[in-house]
Short mmCIF file of all heavy atoms in Angstrom, two decimals:
data_model
loop_
_atom_site.label_atom_id
_atom_site.label_comp_id
_atom_site.label_asym_id
_atom_site.label_seq_id
_atom_site.Cartn_x
_atom_site.Cartn_y
_atom_site.Cartn_z
N LYS A 244 -47.97 109.45 -102.75
CA LYS A 244 -47.03 108.46 -103.23
C LYS A 244 -46.30 109.03 -104.44
O LYS A 244 -46.72 110.02 -105.05
CB LYS A 244 -47.77 107.18 -103.58
CG LYS A 244 -48.37 106.52 -102.36
CD LYS A 244 -49.35 105.40 -102.62
CE LYS A 244 -49.19 104.62 -103.84
NZ LYS A 244 -50.11 103.48 -103.91
N GLN A 245 -45.22 108.40 -104.80
CA GLN A 245 -44.43 108.90 -105.93
C GLN A 245 -45.27 108.95 -107.20
O GLN A 245 -45.19 109.90 -107.97
CB GLN A 245 -43.21 108.01 -106.15
CG GLN A 245 -42.32 108.50 -107.29
CD GLN A 245 -41.09 107.63 -107.48
OE1 GLN A 245 -40.94 106.63 -106.80
NE2 GLN A 245 -40.23 108.03 -108.38
N SER A 246 -46.11 107.93 -107.40
CA SER A 246 -46.93 107.91 -108.61
C SER A 246 -47.89 109.08 -108.66
O SER A 246 -48.16 109.65 -109.72
CB SER A 246 -47.71 106.60 -108.70
OG SER A 246 -48.54 106.43 -107.58
N GLN A 247 -48.40 109.47 -107.50
CA GLN A 247 -49.31 110.60 -107.45
C GLN A 247 -48.59 111.91 -107.74
O GLN A 247 -49.13 112.79 -108.40
CB GLN A 247 -50.00 110.63 -106.08
CG GLN A 247 -50.93 109.44 -105.86
CD GLN A 247 -51.39 109.32 -104.43
OE1 GLN A 247 -50.74 109.82 -103.51
NE2 GLN A 247 -52.50 108.65 -104.22
N ALA A 248 -47.37 112.01 -107.25
CA ALA A 248 -46.57 113.20 -107.54
C ALA A 248 -46.33 113.33 -109.04
O ALA A 248 -46.34 114.43 -109.60
CB ALA A 248 -45.26 113.15 -106.78
N LEU A 249 -46.15 112.19 -109.71
CA LEU A 249 -45.94 112.21 -111.15
C LEU A 249 -47.20 112.65 -111.88
O LEU A 249 -47.12 113.33 -112.91
CB LEU A 249 -45.50 110.82 -111.64
CG LEU A 249 -44.10 110.38 -111.21
CD1 LEU A 249 -43.84 108.93 -111.64
CD2 LEU A 249 -43.03 111.31 -111.79
N VAL A 250 -48.37 112.27 -111.35
CA VAL A 250 -49.63 112.72 -111.93
C VAL A 250 -49.74 114.24 -111.84
O VAL A 250 -50.13 114.91 -112.81
CB VAL A 250 -50.83 112.05 -111.24
CG1 VAL A 250 -52.15 112.69 -111.68
CG2 VAL A 250 -50.86 110.56 -111.56
N PHE A 251 -49.39 114.79 -110.68
CA PHE A 251 -49.42 116.24 -110.51
C PHE A 251 -48.48 116.93 -111.51
O PHE A 251 -48.83 117.94 -112.12
CB PHE A 251 -49.02 116.60 -109.07
CG PHE A 251 -50.14 116.53 -108.07
CD1 PHE A 251 -50.84 115.34 -107.86
CD2 PHE A 251 -50.51 117.64 -107.35
CE1 PHE A 251 -51.88 115.27 -106.94
CE2 PHE A 251 -51.54 117.58 -106.42
CZ PHE A 251 -52.22 116.40 -106.21
N GLU A 252 -47.29 116.36 -111.66
CA GLU A 252 -46.30 116.95 -112.57
C GLU A 252 -46.80 116.90 -114.01
O GLU A 252 -46.66 117.87 -114.77
CB GLU A 252 -44.98 116.19 -112.44
CG GLU A 252 -43.87 116.74 -113.32
CD GLU A 252 -42.57 115.97 -113.16
OE1 GLU A 252 -42.44 115.19 -112.19
OE2 GLU A 252 -41.68 116.13 -114.02
N ARG A 253 -47.40 115.76 -114.40
CA ARG A 253 -47.92 115.64 -115.75
C ARG A 253 -49.07 116.61 -115.99
O ARG A 253 -49.17 117.23 -117.05
CB ARG A 253 -48.37 114.20 -116.00
CG ARG A 253 -48.96 113.96 -117.38
CD ARG A 253 -49.10 112.48 -117.70
NE ARG A 253 -49.80 112.27 -118.94
CZ ARG A 253 -49.27 112.42 -120.15
NH1 ARG A 253 -47.99 112.79 -120.25
NH2 ARG A 253 -49.98 112.21 -121.23
N ALA A 254 -49.94 116.77 -114.99
CA ALA A 254 -51.06 117.70 -115.12
C ALA A 254 -50.56 119.12 -115.34
O ALA A 254 -51.09 119.86 -116.18
CB ALA A 254 -51.94 117.64 -113.88
N GLU A 255 -49.53 119.51 -114.61
CA GLU A 255 -48.96 120.85 -114.78
C GLU A 255 -48.40 121.03 -116.19
O GLU A 255 -48.63 122.06 -116.85
CB GLU A 255 -47.87 121.09 -113.74
CG GLU A 255 -47.21 122.45 -113.88
CD GLU A 255 -46.14 122.70 -112.81
OE1 GLU A 255 -46.12 121.96 -111.80
OE2 GLU A 255 -45.34 123.64 -113.00
N THR A 256 -47.67 120.03 -116.66
CA THR A 256 -47.07 120.11 -118.00
C THR A 256 -48.14 120.25 -119.07
O THR A 256 -48.02 121.09 -119.98
CB THR A 256 -46.23 118.85 -118.27
OG1 THR A 256 -45.16 118.78 -117.31
CG2 THR A 256 -45.63 118.89 -119.68
N ILE A 257 -49.19 119.46 -118.97
CA ILE A 257 -50.25 119.49 -119.98
C ILE A 257 -51.00 120.82 -119.94
O ILE A 257 -51.31 121.40 -120.99
CB ILE A 257 -51.21 118.30 -119.78
CG1 ILE A 257 -50.51 117.01 -120.19
CG2 ILE A 257 -52.49 118.49 -120.59
CD1 ILE A 257 -51.29 115.75 -119.90
N LEU A 258 -51.28 121.31 -118.76
CA LEU A 258 -51.99 122.60 -118.66
C LEU A 258 -51.15 123.73 -119.22
O LEU A 258 -51.69 124.66 -119.85
CB LEU A 258 -52.37 122.88 -117.21
CG LEU A 258 -53.56 122.09 -116.67
CD1 LEU A 258 -53.72 122.29 -115.18
CD2 LEU A 258 -54.85 122.50 -117.39
N LYS A 259 -49.85 123.68 -119.03
CA LYS A 259 -48.99 124.71 -119.60
C LYS A 259 -49.02 124.63 -121.12
O LYS A 259 -49.10 125.67 -121.81
CB LYS A 259 -47.57 124.55 -119.07
CG LYS A 259 -47.41 125.01 -117.62
CD LYS A 259 -45.98 124.81 -117.13
CE LYS A 259 -45.83 125.35 -115.70
NZ LYS A 259 -44.46 125.11 -115.16
N ARG A 260 -48.96 123.43 -121.67
CA ARG A 260 -48.98 123.28 -123.12
C ARG A 260 -50.33 123.71 -123.71
O ARG A 260 -50.38 124.23 -124.83
CB ARG A 260 -48.70 121.83 -123.50
CG ARG A 260 -47.30 121.36 -123.19
CD ARG A 260 -47.00 120.05 -123.88
NE ARG A 260 -47.05 120.20 -125.32
CZ ARG A 260 -46.95 119.17 -126.17
NH1 ARG A 260 -46.84 117.94 -125.71
NH2 ARG A 260 -47.00 119.37 -127.47
N ALA A 261 -51.40 123.48 -122.97
CA ALA A 261 -52.74 123.84 -123.44
C ALA A 261 -53.05 125.32 -123.25
O ALA A 261 -54.11 125.79 -123.67
CB ALA A 261 -53.79 122.99 -122.73
N GLY A 262 -52.15 126.05 -122.60
CA GLY A 262 -52.38 127.46 -122.36
C GLY A 262 -53.37 127.73 -121.24
O GLY A 262 -54.01 128.79 -121.21
N LEU A 263 -53.48 126.79 -120.29
CA LEU A 263 -54.45 126.94 -119.20
C LEU A 263 -53.79 127.03 -117.83
O LEU A 263 -54.50 127.09 -116.82
CB LEU A 263 -55.42 125.73 -119.21
CG LEU A 263 -56.35 125.61 -120.41
CD1 LEU A 263 -57.13 124.30 -120.33
CD2 LEU A 263 -57.30 126.80 -120.49
N TRP A 264 -52.48 127.05 -117.77
CA TRP A 264 -51.82 127.05 -116.47
C TRP A 264 -52.15 128.30 -115.66
O TRP A 264 -52.26 128.25 -114.43
CB TRP A 264 -50.31 126.91 -116.64
CG TRP A 264 -49.56 126.83 -115.34
CD1 TRP A 264 -48.62 127.68 -114.87
CD2 TRP A 264 -49.69 125.80 -114.34
NE1 TRP A 264 -48.15 127.27 -113.64
CE2 TRP A 264 -48.80 126.12 -113.29
CE3 TRP A 264 -50.50 124.66 -114.22
CZ2 TRP A 264 -48.68 125.33 -112.15
CZ3 TRP A 264 -50.37 123.87 -113.08
CH2 TRP A 264 -49.48 124.22 -112.06
N HIS A 265 -52.36 129.41 -116.35
CA HIS A 265 -52.65 130.66 -115.63
C HIS A 265 -54.03 130.64 -114.96
O HIS A 265 -54.31 131.48 -114.11
CB HIS A 265 -52.54 131.86 -116.58
CG HIS A 265 -53.59 131.89 -117.65
ND1 HIS A 265 -53.64 130.98 -118.67
CD2 HIS A 265 -54.65 132.73 -117.85
CE1 HIS A 265 -54.66 131.25 -119.46
NE2 HIS A 265 -55.29 132.30 -118.99
N VAL A 266 -54.88 129.68 -115.34
CA VAL A 266 -56.20 129.56 -114.70
C VAL A 266 -56.32 128.23 -113.95
O VAL A 266 -57.43 127.79 -113.64
CB VAL A 266 -57.34 129.70 -115.74
CG1 VAL A 266 -57.39 131.10 -116.30
CG2 VAL A 266 -57.22 128.66 -116.85
N ALA A 267 -55.20 127.61 -113.63
CA ALA A 267 -55.21 126.28 -113.02
C ALA A 267 -55.95 126.26 -111.70
O ALA A 267 -56.58 125.25 -111.35
CB ALA A 267 -53.78 125.78 -112.83
#
Side-chain angles (χ1 to χ4, degrees):
K244 294 168 29 174
Q245 182 178 3
S246 59
Q247 293 169 337
L249 291 174
V250 170
F251 276 59
E252 181 180 345
R253 179 167 173 77
E255 179 178 344
T256 298
I257 289 173
L258 283 172
K259 286 179 177 177
R260 292 193 63 186
L263 294 174
W264 183 241
H265 67 292
V266 292

